[in-house]
Amino acid sequence: MAILDIRNLTIELNTSQGRVKAVERVNLTLTEGEIQGLVGESGSGKSLVAKAILGIKKDGWVVRADRMRLGDIDLLTLTPSERRRLMANDIAMIFQEPSSHLDPTQEIAEQIEEAIPSNTFEGGFWQRFQWRKKRAVTLLHKVGIKDPISVLRSYPHELSEGVCQKIMIAMAIAKKPRLLIADEPTTAMESTTQIQILKLLHKLNKVNNTSILFISHDIESVSNLSDTLTVMYCGQTVESGTRDQVINHPRHPYTNALLKAVPDFESNLAHKSHLYALPGSIPPLQHLPIGCRLGPRCPNAQKTCVQKPHSTRVKGHMFNCHFPLSIEDETSS
Amino acid sequence: MFIYIIRRLNVFVITLFLLSVVAFLLQRQVITDFVNTGNILSDYQRYILAMLSGNFGTSLASGNPVLTDILAIFPATLELCLMAFVVSILIGIPCGIFAGLSRGGAVDYGIMTITLMGVSVPAFWFAMLLMMFFSLHLGWFPVSGRIGLLYDIPVITGFNLIDTLLSTKPYKYEAFFDSLLHLALPTLVLATIPTTEVIRQVRASIGEEMDKNYIKAAQAKGLNTFQIIKRHGLRNALPPVIPSLGLQFGRVLTTAMITETVFSWPGIGPWMVNSIYLEDHSAIQGGMLFIAAFVLLANMATDLLHLLIDPLKRNELYGKS
């Protein structure tokens, strides 16, 4: 069953240059107990999608969708307070820029204890006084913090970005959510702890059946962990499907370019050879191309690309392109 | 932390020194208690030693030492000022929060309009209006003074509200309420300026903090708006407001002098005005030094309080020293 089902999500931002469609008709489906990777360059609207799911809006954002469901709950019809209650129990998010998402004047201990819901309590009433503290310590242990006691007594500005990120993860997994949105959860960490955190997320997924929406700009690291992948470019979904479909048989030129951009150090890469990249750069939000937004940079673009492509679906593999790459193309190149 | 306190004290001492130089030079123009030997430095040395030992000279009007007069009178002013600050915090913080949360809304405009009016209205005129309406027309509050003439309360601390409760007289509660009634109007007048300041500062501060990322994170934890403001908003928005309260103290003391004169409040205001009329130079000079020292002290105290409350400020300190 789909735990998260989003159809045609559009997010418009009011800027000084007028209203801009930062995210245009994005579709996302997460089945229960699945890890889905959401891949795209920075500025492609991944974090906006995550915030729209949580219902955290800033002034001047207009969020519209044809359908937005969490399990059997329709998120669009909920009042803000009902939505908060839902978030308290079912959804957790690991934010980007972790240190700014921690209250600067509050000790870590209080902040973690605040994130531990009282319905997770187990044990006798005499343990009530201590259990939150103990739970906070175990949570910090879980995310790989070596001296939890001293970290608990610190303020966020006294800790490094990596430790703050681990604290955010600890707070997110504290309530054992049904859906975990991880927005670049391992960016500020050294690579050994990155693997540790990825393993932790994987374990969470297997043991608690937590569905995870894993947002990242790095298609390689995401593809190791996730069952399905969705690729975004400039606020549009370009391709989505199972890991095998997207990684091994990409149908969209952008996905193909992303995969080619990962340098393959195992094959003999010629000395000083060119690394592959698409020509041009991501257009700014004020000057988005019409139709398929990849158009001006796409190697296969033709006249029809000024119209938005319809999504094609083949065995659960969805792609939005007028001229999809065929598998023969992929093998010959 | 310790070094910061020392540094802050240093500023305090230097400012006091400069003030004493000004007061000394003023006094040299009109020789009163001190014999002018012609040598400025030795005169100043004698003068500053006398000041440090608490000898502000003798008042020409009362014949008492100036310090005794000030200490007898100042608690009345202090009581009024402190009450004004309490009122301004009680009114200012909630109003500031409401205005800050509904930025650009009707509540915000309403509160800010009233605030602007509060800043612009002259204190003496507002005092007279209140007096005419509430005291003369409606008769709810007494017109002037600190306490009814019927009550004889011995002075212990100099604060009427405390003295009435400490006294053993059978009518002490009546006396307490009577002094509260006497306090009401002057407090209201005096509170307008700090209240407007508190509202503006809190509004700006909370408006800024509520846009920060950790508020979003708190929303994602599932806290409701009230909990977010209580647990995260206020603790970040209020500490930066504290030092500006200390700065207001000087302004409040000057306004207090006007207010006291209008309400015949037996505080330092009418006393200073009277001394000026009588050309009582040692009293003027002593009063000036005393008030200046007190304002500086209040500033320093609020700065240190800010330091104790706000961990971010403490962090800044380590970064700099």
Side-chain angles (χ1 to χ4, degrees), chain A residues 282-328:
Chain A
I282 302 184
L285 278 180
Q286 291 81 20
H287 303 289
L288 288 172
I290 54 165
C292 175
R293 290 181 177 177
L294 186 64
R297 299 177 69 191
C298 183
N300 309 354
Q302 295 183 29
K303 215 174 182 180
T304 31
C305 290
V306 294
Q307 261 136 23
K308 197 173 184 291
H310 291 290
S311 54
T312 324
R313 191 176 283 274
V314 182
K315 291 181 189 165
H317 187 179
M318 195 274 291
F319 44 90
N320 292 325
C321 189
H322 291 290
F323 307 103
L325 305 170
S326 61
I327 297 150
E328 290 80 47

CSV table of all heavy atoms in Angstrom, one decimal, chain A residues 282-328:
chain,number,residue,atom,x,y,z
A,282,ILE,N,22.3,25.3,-14.5
A,282,ILE,CA,20.8,25.3,-14.1
A,282,ILE,C,20.3,26.7,-14.3
A,282,ILE,O,20.9,27.7,-13.8
A,282,ILE,CB,20.7,24.9,-12.6
A,282,ILE,CG1,21.3,23.5,-12.4
A,282,ILE,CG2,19.2,24.9,-12.2
A,282,ILE,CD1,21.1,23.0,-11.1
A,283,PRO,N,19.2,26.9,-15.0
A,283,PRO,CA,18.6,28.2,-15.1
A,283,PRO,C,18.1,28.8,-13.8
A,283,PRO,O,17.7,28.0,-13.0
A,283,PRO,CB,17.5,28.0,-16.1
A,283,PRO,CG,17.1,26.6,-16.0
A,283,PRO,CD,18.3,25.9,-15.6
A,284,PRO,N,18.3,30.1,-13.6
A,284,PRO,CA,17.7,30.7,-12.4
A,284,PRO,C,16.2,30.6,-12.4
A,284,PRO,O,15.6,30.5,-13.5
A,284,PRO,CB,18.2,32.1,-12.4
A,284,PRO,CG,18.5,32.4,-13.8
A,284,PRO,CD,19.0,31.1,-14.4
A,285,LEU,N,15.6,30.7,-11.2
A,285,LEU,CA,14.1,30.6,-11.1
A,285,LEU,C,13.4,31.6,-11.9
A,285,LEU,O,12.3,31.3,-12.4
A,285,LEU,CB,13.7,30.7,-9.6
A,285,LEU,CG,13.9,29.4,-8.8
A,285,LEU,CD1,13.4,29.7,-7.4
A,285,LEU,CD2,13.1,28.3,-9.4
A,286,GLN,N,14.0,32.8,-12.1
A,286,GLN,CA,13.2,33.8,-12.8
A,286,GLN,C,13.2,33.6,-14.4
A,286,GLN,O,12.5,34.2,-15.1
A,286,GLN,CB,13.9,35.2,-12.5
A,286,GLN,CG,13.7,35.7,-11.1
A,286,GLN,CD,14.7,35.0,-10.2
A,286,GLN,OE1,15.7,34.6,-10.6
A,286,GLN,NE2,14.4,35.0,-8.9
A,287,HIS,N,14.2,32.8,-14.8
A,287,HIS,CA,14.3,32.6,-16.3
A,287,HIS,C,14.1,31.1,-16.6
A,287,HIS,O,15.0,30.5,-17.3
A,287,HIS,CB,15.6,33.1,-16.8
A,287,HIS,CG,15.8,34.5,-16.5
A,287,HIS,ND1,15.1,35.5,-17.1
A,287,HIS,CD2,16.6,35.1,-15.5
A,287,HIS,CE1,15.5,36.7,-16.6
A,287,HIS,NE2,16.4,36.5,-15.6
A,288,LEU,N,13.1,30.5,-16.2
A,288,LEU,CA,12.9,29.1,-16.5
A,288,LEU,C,12.4,28.9,-17.9
A,288,LEU,O,11.6,29.6,-18.4
A,288,LEU,CB,11.9,28.5,-15.5
A,288,LEU,CG,12.3,28.3,-14.1
A,288,LEU,CD1,11.2,27.9,-13.2
A,288,LEU,CD2,13.4,27.3,-14.0
A,289,PRO,N,13.0,27.9,-18.6
A,289,PRO,CA,12.5,27.7,-20.0
A,289,PRO,C,11.1,27.0,-19.9
A,289,PRO,O,10.8,26.4,-19.0
A,289,PRO,CB,13.6,26.7,-20.5
A,289,PRO,CG,14.3,26.1,-19.4
A,289,PRO,CD,14.1,27.1,-18.2
A,290,ILE,N,10.3,27.3,-21.0
A,290,ILE,CA,9.0,26.7,-21.0
A,290,ILE,C,9.1,25.3,-21.5
A,290,ILE,O,10.2,24.8,-22.0
A,290,ILE,CB,8.0,27.5,-21.9
A,290,ILE,CG1,8.7,27.6,-23.3
A,290,ILE,CG2,7.7,28.8,-21.4
A,290,ILE,CD1,7.7,28.0,-24.4
A,291,GLY,N,8.0,24.5,-21.3
A,291,GLY,CA,8.0,23.1,-21.7
A,291,GLY,C,8.9,22.3,-20.8
A,291,GLY,O,9.0,22.5,-19.6
A,292,CYS,N,9.7,21.4,-21.5
A,292,CYS,CA,10.7,20.6,-20.7
A,292,CYS,C,11.8,21.5,-20.3
A,292,CYS,O,12.4,22.2,-21.1
A,292,CYS,CB,11.2,19.5,-21.5
A,292,CYS,SG,12.5,18.5,-20.7
A,293,ARG,N,12.0,21.6,-19.0
A,293,ARG,CA,13.0,22.6,-18.5
A,293,ARG,C,14.5,22.2,-18.8
A,293,ARG,O,15.4,23.1,-18.7
A,293,ARG,CB,12.8,22.8,-17.0
A,293,ARG,CG,11.5,23.5,-16.7
A,293,ARG,CD,11.3,23.8,-15.2
A,293,ARG,NE,10.1,24.5,-15.0
A,293,ARG,CZ,9.6,24.8,-13.8
A,293,ARG,NH1,10.3,24.5,-12.7
A,293,ARG,NH2,8.5,25.5,-13.7
A,294,LEU,N,14.7,21.0,-19.2
A,294,LEU,CA,16.0,20.6,-19.6
A,294,LEU,C,16.4,21.1,-21.0
A,294,LEU,O,17.5,21.2,-21.3
A,294,LEU,CB,16.2,19.1,-19.5
A,294,LEU,CG,17.6,18.5,-19.7
A,294,LEU,CD1,18.5,19.0,-18.6
A,294,LEU,CD2,17.6,17.0,-19.7
A,295,GLY,N,15.3,21.4,-21.8
A,295,GLY,CA,15.4,21.7,-23.2
A,295,GLY,C,16.7,22.3,-23.6
A,295,GLY,O,17.5,21.7,-24.4
A,296,PRO,N,17.1,23.6,-23.2
A,296,PRO,CA,18.3,24.2,-23.7
A,296,PRO,C,19.6,23.5,-23.5
A,296,PRO,O,20.5,23.7,-24.2
A,296,PRO,CB,18.3,25.5,-22.9
A,296,PRO,CG,16.9,25.7,-22.4
A,296,PRO,CD,16.3,24.4,-22.2
A,297,ARG,N,19.6,22.6,-22.5
A,297,ARG,CA,20.8,21.9,-22.2
A,297,ARG,C,20.9,20.5,-22.8
A,297,ARG,O,21.9,19.8,-22.7
A,297,ARG,CB,21.1,21.8,-20.7
A,297,ARG,CG,21.2,23.1,-20.0
A,297,ARG,CD,21.3,22.9,-18.5
A,297,ARG,NE,22.6,22.4,-18.1
A,297,ARG,CZ,22.9,21.9,-16.9
A,297,ARG,NH1,22.0,22.0,-16.0
A,297,ARG,NH2,24.1,21.4,-16.7
A,298,CYS,N,19.7,20.0,-23.3
A,298,CYS,CA,19.6,18.6,-23.6
A,298,CYS,C,20.3,18.3,-24.9
A,298,CYS,O,20.1,19.0,-25.9
A,298,CYS,CB,18.1,18.3,-23.7
A,298,CYS,SG,17.8,16.5,-24.0
A,299,PRO,N,21.1,17.3,-25.0
A,299,PRO,CA,21.7,16.9,-26.3
A,299,PRO,C,20.7,16.4,-27.3
A,299,PRO,O,21.0,16.6,-28.5
A,299,PRO,CB,22.7,15.8,-25.9
A,299,PRO,CG,22.2,15.2,-24.6
A,299,PRO,CD,21.5,16.4,-23.9
A,300,ASN,N,19.5,15.9,-26.9
A,300,ASN,CA,18.6,15.4,-27.9
A,300,ASN,C,17.5,16.3,-28.2
A,300,ASN,O,16.5,15.9,-28.8
A,300,ASN,CB,18.0,14.0,-27.4
A,300,ASN,CG,19.0,13.1,-26.9
A,300,ASN,OD1,20.2,13.3,-27.1
A,300,ASN,ND2,18.6,12.0,-26.3
A,301,ALA,N,17.5,17.6,-27.7
A,301,ALA,CA,16.3,18.4,-27.8
A,301,ALA,C,16.0,18.7,-29.2
A,301,ALA,O,16.8,18.9,-30.1
A,301,ALA,CB,16.6,19.7,-27.0
A,302,GLN,N,14.7,18.8,-29.5
A,302,GLN,CA,14.1,19.2,-30.8
A,302,GLN,C,13.0,20.2,-30.5
A,302,GLN,O,12.7,20.6,-29.4
A,302,GLN,CB,13.6,18.0,-31.5
A,302,GLN,CG,14.8,17.0,-31.9
A,302,GLN,CD,14.3,15.9,-32.7
A,302,GLN,OE1,13.3,16.0,-33.4
A,302,GLN,NE2,15.0,14.7,-32.5
A,303,LYS,N,12.4,20.6,-31.6
A,303,LYS,CA,11.4,21.7,-31.6
A,303,LYS,C,10.3,21.4,-30.6
A,303,LYS,O,9.8,22.3,-29.9
A,303,LYS,CB,10.8,21.9,-33.0
A,303,LYS,CG,10.5,23.3,-33.3
A,303,LYS,CD,10.1,23.4,-34.8
A,303,LYS,CE,9.8,24.8,-35.2
A,303,LYS,NZ,9.4,24.8,-36.6
A,304,THR,N,9.8,20.2,-30.6
A,304,THR,CA,8.7,19.8,-29.7
A,304,THR,C,9.0,20.0,-28.2
A,304,THR,O,8.0,20.0,-27.4
A,304,THR,CB,8.2,18.4,-30.0
A,304,THR,OG1,9.4,17.6,-30.4
A,304,THR,CG2,7.2,18.3,-31.1
A,305,CYS,N,10.2,20.1,-27.9
A,305,CYS,CA,10.6,20.1,-26.4
A,305,CYS,C,10.1,21.4,-25.7
A,305,CYS,O,10.2,21.5,-24.5
A,305,CYS,CB,12.1,20.0,-26.2
A,305,CYS,SG,12.6,18.3,-26.6
A,306,VAL,N,9.6,22.4,-26.5
A,306,VAL,CA,9.1,23.6,-25.9
A,306,VAL,C,7.7,23.3,-25.3
A,306,VAL,O,7.1,24.2,-24.6
A,306,VAL,CB,9.0,24.8,-26.8
A,306,VAL,CG1,10.3,25.2,-27.2
A,306,VAL,CG2,8.1,24.5,-28.0
A,307,GLN,N,7.1,22.1,-25.6
A,307,GLN,CA,5.9,21.7,-24.9
A,307,GLN,C,6.3,20.7,-23.8
A,307,GLN,O,7.2,19.9,-23.9
A,307,GLN,CB,4.9,21.1,-25.8
A,307,GLN,CG,3.9,22.0,-26.3
A,307,GLN,CD,3.7,21.9,-27.8
A,307,GLN,OE1,4.0,20.9,-28.4
A,307,GLN,NE2,3.2,23.0,-28.4
A,308,LYS,N,5.5,20.8,-22.7
A,308,LYS,CA,5.8,19.9,-21.6
A,308,LYS,C,5.5,18.5,-22.0
A,308,LYS,O,4.4,18.2,-22.5
A,308,LYS,CB,4.9,20.3,-20.4
A,308,LYS,CG,5.5,19.7,-19.1
A,308,LYS,CD,4.7,20.2,-17.9
A,308,LYS,CE,5.3,19.7,-16.6
A,308,LYS,NZ,5.2,18.2,-16.4
A,309,PRO,N,6.4,17.6,-21.9
A,309,PRO,CA,6.2,16.2,-22.3
A,309,PRO,C,5.2,15.5,-21.4
A,309,PRO,O,5.1,15.8,-20.2
A,309,PRO,CB,7.6,15.6,-22.2
A,309,PRO,CG,8.3,16.4,-21.2
A,309,PRO,CD,7.8,17.8,-21.3
A,310,HIS,N,4.4,14.6,-22.0
A,310,HIS,CA,3.5,13.8,-21.2
A,310,HIS,C,4.4,12.7,-20.5
A,310,HIS,O,5.4,12.2,-21.1
A,310,HIS,CB,2.4,13.1,-22.0
A,310,HIS,CG,1.5,14.1,-22.5
A,310,HIS,ND1,0.6,14.8,-21.7
A,310,HIS,CD2,1.3,14.7,-23.8
A,310,HIS,CE1,-0.2,15.6,-22.4
A,310,HIS,NE2,0.3,15.6,-23.7
A,311,SER,N,3.9,12.2,-19.4
A,311,SER,CA,4.7,11.2,-18.8
A,311,SER,C,4.4,9.8,-19.4
A,311,SER,O,3.2,9.5,-19.6
A,311,SER,CB,4.5,11.2,-17.3
A,311,SER,OG,3.2,11.1,-17.0
A,312,THR,N,5.4,9.1,-19.7
A,312,THR,CA,5.2,7.7,-20.3
A,312,THR,C,5.5,6.7,-19.1
A,312,THR,O,6.3,6.9,-18.3
A,312,THR,CB,6.2,7.5,-21.4
A,312,THR,OG1,6.4,8.7,-22.1
A,312,THR,CG2,5.8,6.4,-22.3
A,313,ARG,N,4.7,5.7,-19.1
A,313,ARG,CA,4.9,4.7,-18.0
A,313,ARG,C,5.0,3.3,-18.6
A,313,ARG,O,4.2,2.9,-19.4
A,313,ARG,CB,3.7,4.8,-17.1
A,313,ARG,CG,3.8,4.0,-15.8
A,313,ARG,CD,2.6,4.3,-15.0
A,313,ARG,NE,2.6,5.6,-14.4
A,313,ARG,CZ,3.2,5.8,-13.2
A,313,ARG,NH1,3.8,4.8,-12.5
A,313,ARG,NH2,3.2,7.0,-12.7
A,314,VAL,N,6.1,2.7,-18.4
A,314,VAL,CA,6.4,1.3,-18.8
A,314,VAL,C,6.7,0.5,-17.6
A,314,VAL,O,7.8,0.7,-17.0
A,314,VAL,CB,7.5,1.3,-19.9
A,314,VAL,CG1,7.7,-0.1,-20.4
A,314,VAL,CG2,7.3,2.3,-21.0
A,315,LYS,N,5.8,-0.4,-17.3
A,315,LYS,CA,6.1,-1.3,-16.1
A,315,LYS,C,6.6,-0.6,-14.9
A,315,LYS,O,7.6,-0.9,-14.3
A,315,LYS,CB,7.1,-2.4,-16.5
A,315,LYS,CG,6.7,-3.4,-17.5
A,315,LYS,CD,7.8,-4.3,-17.8
A,315,LYS,CE,7.4,-5.2,-19.0
A,315,LYS,NZ,8.5,-6.0,-19.5
A,316,GLY,N,5.9,0.5,-14.5
A,316,GLY,CA,6.2,1.2,-13.3
A,316,GLY,C,7.4,2.2,-13.5
A,316,GLY,O,7.8,2.9,-12.6
A,317,HIS,N,8.0,2.2,-14.7
A,317,HIS,CA,9.1,3.1,-14.9
A,317,HIS,C,8.6,4.3,-15.7
A,317,HIS,O,8.1,4.2,-16.8
A,317,HIS,CB,10.1,2.3,-15.8
A,317,HIS,CG,11.4,3.1,-16.1
A,317,HIS,ND1,12.4,2.6,-16.8
A,317,HIS,CD2,11.8,4.3,-15.6
A,317,HIS,CE1,13.4,3.5,-16.8
A,317,HIS,NE2,13.0,4.5,-16.1
A,318,MET,N,8.6,5.4,-15.0
A,318,MET,CA,7.9,6.6,-15.5
A,318,MET,C,9.0,7.6,-16.0
A,318,MET,O,10.0,7.8,-15.3
A,318,MET,CB,7.1,7.2,-14.4
A,318,MET,CG,6.0,8.2,-14.9
A,318,MET,SD,6.7,9.9,-14.9
A,318,MET,CE,7.0,10.2,-13.2
A,319,PHE,N,8.8,8.2,-17.1
A,319,PHE,CA,9.7,9.2,-17.6
A,319,PHE,C,9.0,10.3,-18.4
A,319,PHE,O,8.0,10.0,-19.1
A,319,PHE,CB,10.9,8.7,-18.4
A,319,PHE,CG,10.5,7.6,-19.4
A,319,PHE,CD1,10.2,8.0,-20.7
A,319,PHE,CD2,10.4,6.3,-19.0
A,319,PHE,CE1,9.8,7.1,-21.6
A,319,PHE,CE2,10.0,5.4,-20.0
A,319,PHE,CZ,9.7,5.7,-21.3
A,320,ASN,N,9.5,11.5,-18.3
A,320,ASN,CA,8.9,12.7,-19.0
A,320,ASN,C,9.8,13.1,-20.0
A,320,ASN,O,10.7,14.0,-19.8
A,320,ASN,CB,8.6,13.8,-18.0
A,320,ASN,CG,7.5,13.5,-17.0
A,320,ASN,OD1,6.6,12.8,-17.3
A,320,ASN,ND2,7.7,14.0,-15.8
A,321,CYS,N,9.7,12.6,-21.2
A,321,CYS,CA,10.6,13.0,-22.3
A,321,CYS,C,9.9,12.8,-23.7
A,321,CYS,O,9.2,11.8,-23.8
A,321,CYS,CB,11.9,12.3,-22.2
A,321,CYS,SG,13.1,12.9,-23.3
A,322,HIS,N,10.1,13.7,-24.6
A,322,HIS,CA,9.6,13.5,-25.9
A,322,HIS,C,10.4,12.5,-26.7
A,322,HIS,O,9.9,11.8,-27.5
A,322,HIS,CB,9.6,14.8,-26.7
A,322,HIS,CG,8.6,15.8,-26.2
A,322,HIS,ND1,7.3,15.7,-26.4
A,322,HIS,CD2,8.8,17.0,-25.5
A,322,HIS,CE1,6.7,16.7,-25.8
A,322,HIS,NE2,7.6,17.5,-25.3
A,323,PHE,N,11.6,12.5,-26.4
A,323,PHE,CA,12.6,11.6,-27.2
A,323,PHE,C,13.4,10.7,-26.2
A,323,PHE,O,14.5,10.9,-26.0
A,323,PHE,CB,13.5,12.4,-28.0
A,323,PHE,CG,12.8,13.4,-28.9
A,323,PHE,CD1,12.7,14.7,-28.6
A,323,PHE,CD2,12.1,12.9,-30.1
A,323,PHE,CE1,12.0,15.6,-29.4
A,323,PHE,CE2,11.4,13.8,-30.8
A,323,PHE,CZ,11.4,15.1,-30.5
A,324,PRO,N,12.7,9.8,-25.5
A,324,PRO,CA,13.4,9.0,-24.5
A,324,PRO,C,14.5,8.1,-25.2
A,324,PRO,O,14.4,7.8,-26.3
A,324,PRO,CB,12.3,8.1,-23.9
A,324,PRO,CG,11.2,8.1,-25.0
A,324,PRO,CD,11.3,9.4,-25.7
A,325,LEU,N,15.5,7.9,-24.4
A,325,LEU,CA,16.6,7.1,-24.8
A,325,LEU,C,16.1,5.7,-24.9
A,325,LEU,O,15.4,5.2,-23.9
A,325,LEU,CB,17.8,7.2,-23.9
A,325,LEU,CG,18.3,8.5,-23.6
A,325,LEU,CD1,19.3,8.4,-22.4
A,325,LEU,CD2,19.0,9.1,-24.8
A,326,SER,N,16.4,5.0,-25.9
A,326,SER,CA,16.0,3.6,-25.9
A,326,SER,C,17.1,2.8,-25.4
A,326,SER,O,18.3,3.2,-25.2
A,326,SER,CB,15.6,3.1,-27.3
A,326,SER,OG,16.8,3.2,-28.1
A,327,ILE,N,16.9,1.5,-25.0
A,327,ILE,CA,17.9,0.7,-24.4
A,327,ILE,C,19.0,0.5,-25.3
A,327,ILE,O,20.2,0.4,-24.9
A,327,ILE,CB,17.3,-0.6,-23.8
A,327,ILE,CG1,16.2,-0.2,-22.8
A,327,ILE,CG2,18.3,-1.5,-23.2
A,327,ILE,CD1,15.1,-1.2,-22.7
A,328,GLU,N,18.7,0.4,-26.6
A,328,GLU,CA,19.8,0.1,-27.6
A,328,GLU,C,20.7,1.3,-27.6
A,328,GLU,O,22.0,1.1,-27.6
A,328,GLU,CB,19.2,0.0,-29.0
A,328,GLU,CG,18.4,-1.3,-29.2
A,328,GLU,CD,17.0,-1.2,-28.7
A,328,GLU,OE1,16.3,-0.1,-28.9
A,328,GLU,OE2,16.6,-2.0,-27.9
